[in-house]
């Protein structure tokens, strides 16, 4: 976040079976669809509004001990109030980021000063660490890049981890440094004469060297732009590429994580808008991982992704209101399901802004989770540390699970009902349902793949209109197969497994995370750490909340064959014991196949320029066959739904959905054999969200090499 709001003061060797045969084998292990059985037995039961399918065999990763986080700022006089630690502990907050957004680049830790800004009494580093420890959390600390030095940062590491033994692990190098004016818009303080991404990368290396010389165990984070958000794709004068590509090409060997921020829009973005725009976040986070894969290669899995700031907007209305509580719960879980290890809400306290009425309640225009107790005109917030709705949204996610539990796939048939699920280490299954309809309750049928619920009554917690906190539901209206979620409400349902079922009944432990050892255009060789008690392993691919088997091995590696060129796959590995009972799934691996090296054509796709939500690209094709090609067509599919061709030249263009077909212009001559000539065309494109390059191009239906 760039600046705090103000209200009188600062605020803010294996065999492979056919997929069909293995799928049939796994089907025998799946439980009956409880909701379907109920419908057959009770034909008079009204139909549900939505169906949610949960698949405990489709792991999305493990929850980290830093999963839920908040930002804290040195201008916040309430940041260390005793109530704060209690509230954050109750919501299972595991990370607290300090000293607060853009203030980090003017803040000097040793003198506890921020020239040009306001520092509240009682907000020094040791006081902050008292709150962190009382919460049971970990600090995420931002070293001063804008007006600091590597030596100053190293001194902070020495004080924190040697002198005080705080074991502060996560250290970012600056905040939003891409906002230093290099791209024409500047809010981030940066005293370096050279404000380019290349200089930032050089300095990150210097900071990392100095800080790790003091404590080699610290994890260093570099600041990236979020793909699809400004200034992603923009190349500054004299730069070899945009911010992310320039920085990552220089630092992946010295960093341990990257830090990105995500706000759904500007000051006029409503929470309803934000909840709709949240569908962009998975693709944007996937592109961050793609960029890490490109520059870090096999070392990419070591580098984590931290979403260190998130909120609906950057200072408008609907910030403390109930819709933003729904957004908070949905956003925390969406980000965690898509590969980040911490999600940090902006902010703990922030200060009142524009006053509006939302859902019958006063919205204070405050980006904080807790009230600052300040006023806008004659309208005053409630007492300091009174939780706003986003706090309860975050707290609701703690009802799902804690560190070490497994995030699993959940899919809703209704656009206005979000679903998230966690398979707990003790075998229970927790599901969070979020009803974004302000007017109508939604009746939801629950289907469970890989999980058999017991006959015991589920535990249920609700946060909806009329609730002052998360409220237990004990009226018998919640079952393992059907629940009703109030309008603008959230409901968690926790089910116990039928005895003798699930991973707890298997003699095999969960396998380790698979790694990609080799990949071609049609094959992928995977390996994984073995699991105790395993007699064999099954490799399964995930498509949403559905899974199907693609490989089997008695060892700890397998080669998947007959994969489409340029296709992306997400797989888990499960272990089966000698009786065939399946373990919990491994954490997932996502990979993309390549293009054929001996193709009959070659394509070069080059983005000439970008401006955040649009770009210009040039495509060049060569015919590598031994015969001429006349009257050619070129086809590709966009990786995301937000990419499109707006206009083009030197060819004809037609797009249907994600698919683009380009036809040779009238009068075009043949493409000479053996690469003797080329055809080039260009276009203006648009992107709403991330803008990854297409992975496969086809000339007259034949897959080309390159891309």
């Amino acid at each position: 976040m760039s600046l705090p709001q103000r209200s009188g003061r600062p605020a803010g060797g294996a065999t492979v079976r056919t997929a069909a045969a293995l799928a049939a084998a796994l089907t025998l292990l799946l439980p009956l669809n409880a909701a379907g059985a109920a419908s057959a037995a009770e034909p008079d039961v009204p139909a549900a509004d939505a169906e949610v399918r949960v698949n405990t065999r489709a792991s999305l990763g493990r929850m980290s001990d830093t999963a839920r986080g908040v930002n804290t700022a040195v201008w916040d006089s309430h940041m260390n109030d005793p109530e704060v630690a209690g509230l954050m502990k109750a919501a299972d907050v595991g990370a607290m980021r300090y000293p607060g957004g853009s203030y980090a680049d003017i803040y000097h830790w040793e003198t506890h000063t921020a020239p040009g800004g306001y520092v509240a009494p009682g907000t020094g580093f040791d006081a902050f660490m008292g709150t962190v420890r009382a919460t049971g959390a970990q600090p995420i600390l931002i070293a001063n890049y804008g007006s600091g030095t590597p030596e100053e940062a190293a001194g902070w590491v020495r004080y924190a981890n040697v002198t005080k033994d705080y074991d502060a692990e996560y250290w970012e190098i600056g905040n939003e440094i891409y906002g230093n004016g290099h791209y024409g818009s500047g809010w981030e303080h940066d005293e370096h004469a050279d404000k380019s991404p290349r200089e930032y990368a050089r300095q990150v290396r210097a900071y990392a060297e100095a800080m790790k010389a003091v404590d080699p165990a610290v994890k260093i984070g570099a600041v990236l732009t979020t793909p699809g958000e400004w200034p992603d794709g923009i190349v500054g004068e004299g730069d070899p590429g945009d911010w992310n590509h320039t920085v990552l090409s220089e630092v992946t060997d010295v960093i341990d994580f990257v830090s990105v921020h995500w706000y759904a829009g500007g000051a006029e973005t409503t929470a309803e808008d934000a909840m709709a725009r949240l569908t962009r976040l998975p693709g944007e986070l996937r592109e961050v991982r793609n960029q890490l894969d490109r520059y870090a290669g096999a070392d990419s899995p070591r580098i984590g992704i931290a979403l260190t700031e998130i909120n609906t907007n950057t200072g408008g209305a609907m910030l403390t209101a109930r819709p933003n509580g729904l957004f908070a719960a949905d956003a925390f879980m969406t980000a965690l399901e898509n590969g980040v290890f911490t999600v940090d809400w902006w902010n703990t306290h922030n200060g009142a802004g524009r006053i509006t009425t939302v859902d019958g309640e006063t919205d204070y225009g405050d980006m904080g989770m807790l009230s600052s107790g300040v006023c806008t005109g004659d309208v005053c917030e409630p007492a300091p540390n009174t939780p706003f709705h986003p706090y309860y949204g975050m707290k609701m996610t703690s009802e799902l699970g804690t560190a070490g539990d497994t995030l699993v796939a959940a899919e809703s048939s209704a656009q206005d009902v979000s679903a998230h699920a966690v398979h707990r280490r003790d075998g229970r299954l927790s599901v969070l349902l979020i009803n974004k309809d302000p007017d109508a309750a939604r009746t939801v049928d629950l289907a469970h793949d890989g999980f058999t619920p017991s006959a015991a009554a589920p535990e249920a917690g609700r946060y909806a209109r009329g609730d002052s906190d998360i409220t237990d539901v004990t009226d018998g209206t919640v079952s393992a197969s059907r629940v009703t979620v109030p309008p603008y409400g959230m409901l968690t349902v926790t089910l116990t497994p039928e005895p003798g079922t699930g991973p707890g009944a298997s003699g095999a432990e969960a396998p380790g995370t698979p790694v990609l050892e080799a990949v071609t255009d049609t094959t992928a060789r995977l390996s994984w750490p073995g699991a105790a008690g395993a007699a064999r392993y099954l490799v399964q691919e995930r498509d949403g909340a559905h899974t199907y088997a693609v490989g089997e091995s008695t060892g700890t590696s397998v080669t998947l064959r007959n994969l489409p060129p340029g296709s992306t796959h997400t797989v888990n590995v499960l272990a089966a014991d000698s009786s065939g009972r399946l373990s919990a799934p491994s954490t997932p691996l996502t990979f993309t196949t390549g293009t054929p090296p001996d193709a009959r054509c070659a394509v070069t796709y080059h983005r000439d320029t970008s401006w955040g939500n649009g770009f210009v690209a040039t495509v060049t094709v060569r015919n590598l066959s031994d015969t001429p090609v006349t009257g050619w067509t070129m086809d590709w599919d966009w990786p995301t739904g937000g990419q499109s061709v707006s206009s083009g030249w030197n060819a004809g263009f037609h797009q249907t959905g994600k698919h683009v077909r380009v036809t040779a212009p009238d009068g075009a001559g043949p493409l000479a054999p053996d690469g003797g000539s080329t055809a080039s065309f260009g276009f203006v494109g648009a992107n709403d969200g991330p803008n990854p390059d297409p992975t496969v191009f086809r000339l007259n239906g034949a897959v080309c090499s390159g891309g």
Side-chain angles (χ1 to χ4, degrees):
M1 180 63 187
S2 55
L3 296 172
Q5 294 176 295
R6 296 181 181 269
S7 182
R9 58 177 178 175
T15 60
V16 179
R17 285 188 184 172
T18 65
L22 286 169
L26 278 181
T27 300
L28 298 176
L29 300 173
L30 299 179
L32 293 175
N33 183 327
S39 297
E42 302 173 42
D44 295 331
V45 174
D49 300 307
E51 180 182 17
V52 166
R53 178 170 294 276
V54 177
N55 190 342
T56 60
R57 295 202 177 107
S59 168
L60 307 180
R62 309 275 189 258
M63 293 190 73
S64 72
D65 54 1
T66 56
R68 281 170 286 270
V70 293
N71 280 268
T72 56
V74 292
W75 38 261
D76 173 13
S77 62
H78 294 289
M79 65 176 283
N80 295 312
D81 289 354
E83 302 96 321
V84 172
L87 287 164
M88 296 304 159
K89 191 177 185 69
D92 194 35
V93 167
M96 304 184 82
R97 184 172 181 253
Y98 175 93
S102 293
Y103 258 59
D105 287 306
I106 60 173
Y107 178 71
H108 300 282
W109 71 273
E110 194 165 17
T111 58
H112 189 50
T113 59
Y118 169 78
V119 175
T123 61
F125 177 56
D126 288 316
F128 163 73
M129 285 304 303
T131 299
V132 170
R133 288 188 158 183
T135 300
Q138 297 182 52
I140 296 178
L141 302 174
I142 317 170
N144 184 339
Y145 175 85
S147 58
T149 64
E151 293 73 24
E152 181 183 32
W156 195 0
V157 173
R158 182 176 294 106
Y159 179 79
N161 292 355
V162 178
T163 304
K164 302 295 291 188
D165 198 25
Y166 286 145
D167 291 327
E169 184 175 7
Y170 298 101
W171 298 78
E172 295 179 62
I173 310 304
N175 174 82
E176 296 183 359
I177 303 302
Y178 47 80
N180 61 8
H182 184 67
Y183 298 108
S185 180
W187 63 86
E188 200 73 18
H189 187 80
D190 184 0
E191 295 179 0
H192 296 86
D194 183 351
K195 294 178 170 54
S196 70
R198 178 169 282 175
E199 175 64 12
Y200 175 71
R202 190 184 72 81
Q203 291 287 341
V204 166
R205 298 189 69 87
Y207 273 73
E209 180 181 4
M211 296 164 76
K212 290 194 174 188
V214 176
D215 182 358
V218 297
K219 288 181 166 49
I220 302 298
V223 173
L224 296 185
T225 66
T226 302
E229 310 294 335
W230 189 94
D232 174 53
I234 299 175
V235 178
E237 184 177 355
D239 293 341
D242 65 6
W243 181 275
N244 286 8
H245 291 83
T246 302
V247 171
L248 288 176
S249 68
E250 301 285 343
V251 304
T252 55
D253 60 322
V254 299
I255 63 171
D256 304 280
F257 69 98
V258 294
S259 172
V260 294
H261 294 169
W262 197 86
Y263 292 89
E268 300 304 317
T269 300
T270 67
E272 285 90 344
D273 297 333
M275 286 187 283
R277 288 173 63 87
L278 196 57
T279 58
R280 294 173 46 163
L281 185 58
E284 293 179 346
L285 292 173
R286 180 64 231 163
E287 183 59 14
V288 175
R289 178 54 62 189
N290 288 341
Q291 292 173 3
L292 288 170
D293 290 347
R294 174 177 177 179
Y295 292 104
D299 200 34
S300 175
R302 178 188 60 80
I303 302 174
I305 301 173
L307 184 54
T308 52
E309 290 186 21
I310 191 169
N311 208 315
T312 49
N313 61 62
T314 53
M318 301 187 80
L319 288 165
T320 67
R322 185 174 302 279
N324 211 25
L326 305 181
F327 170 85
D330 212 3
F332 269 90
M333 295 311 301
T334 297
L336 293 172
E337 290 162 354
N338 285 277
V340 306
F341 68 86
T342 186
V343 187
D344 307 328
W345 187 263
W346 184 274
N347 202 2
T348 301
H349 307 89
N350 207 69
R354 187 174 62 180
I355 307 299
T356 57
T357 299
V358 180
D359 197 38
E361 299 176 312
T362 299
D363 186 287
Y364 298 97
D366 190 324
M367 301 181 76
M369 282 196 159
L370 308 179
S371 171
S372 296
V374 297
C375 304
T376 295
D378 58 357
V379 178
C380 295
E381 293 186 343
N385 299 312
T386 300
F388 293 132
H389 290 294
Y391 168 80
Y392 292 111
M394 177 178 68
K395 186 178 181 182
M396 201 73 181
T397 69
S398 71
E399 299 284 300
L400 282 174
T402 58
D405 292 342
T406 301
L407 299 149
V408 296
E411 194 170 58
S412 173
S413 66
Q415 189 173 2
D416 57 1
V417 176
S418 292
H420 307 278
V422 172
H423 200 187
R424 302 193 183 209
R425 288 166 294 168
D426 61 10
R428 293 181 298 159
L429 174 65
S430 294
V431 183
L432 169 63
L433 303 172
I434 303 169
N435 179 8
K436 293 173 278 191
D437 188 323
D439 301 316
R442 302 302 301 270
T443 301
V444 179
D445 279 347
L446 294 178
H448 329 94
D449 289 349
F451 182 86
T452 305
S454 72
E459 299 176 18
R462 181 195 65 219
Y463 186 70
R465 293 180 180 126
D467 295 328
S468 58
D469 202 337
I470 297 173
T471 302
D472 291 340
V473 179
T474 58
D475 58 5
T477 59
V478 174
S479 74
S481 60
R482 177 169 286 194
V483 299
T484 299
V485 190
Y488 260 8
M490 297 179 277
L491 191 75
T492 57
V493 182
T494 298
L495 311 174
T496 57
E498 180 71 21
T501 67
S506 175
E509 296 181 357
T513 304
V515 296
L516 182 66
E517 291 191 337
V519 64
T520 70
D521 55 326
T522 60
T523 67
R525 182 171 177 80
L526 316 177
S527 65
W528 53 87
R536 61 190 175 100
Y537 298 94
L538 298 176
V539 180
Q540 61 172 17
E541 181 162 354
R542 175 171 60 85
D543 181 8
H546 299 271
T547 55
Y548 54 95
V550 293
E552 179 183 11
S553 175
T554 56
T556 56
S557 64
V558 71
T559 298
L560 307 181
R561 304 185 186 279
N562 300 319
L563 304 173
S567 57
T568 299
H569 307 265
T570 298
V571 297
N572 296 116
V573 181
L574 299 93
D577 65 14
S578 58
S579 299
R581 295 170 299 192
L582 295 177
S583 71
S586 71
T587 54
L589 167 70
T590 298
F591 66 90
T592 300
T593 57
T595 56
D598 56 349
R600 300 172 59 188
C601 51
V603 167
T604 301
Y605 177 91
H606 183 262
R607 259 187 284 170
D608 305 322
T609 186
S610 298
W611 51 91
N613 62 353
F615 61 102
V616 175
T618 299
V619 181
T620 302
V621 58
R622 289 184 297 145
N623 169 27
L624 303 181
S625 72
D626 57 5
T627 57
V629 173
T630 304
W632 53 265
T633 61
M634 174 69 66
D635 293 86
W636 73 80
D637 291 291
W638 292 117
T640 76
Q643 296 169 282
S644 61
V645 174
S646 301
S647 61
W649 50 92
N650 294 342
F653 297 83
H654 179 74
Q655 181 167 340
T656 303
K658 295 182 180 181
H659 184 75
V660 178
R661 169 158 288 191
V662 183
T663 56
D666 293 340
L671 283 169
D674 302 319
S677 64
T678 62
S680 292
F681 56 87
F683 63 90
V684 177
N687 58 292
D688 182 14
N691 188 28
D693 294 349
T695 57
V696 172
F697 294 85
R698 288 178 168 82
L699 179 66
N700 290 354
V703 177
C704 300
S705 63

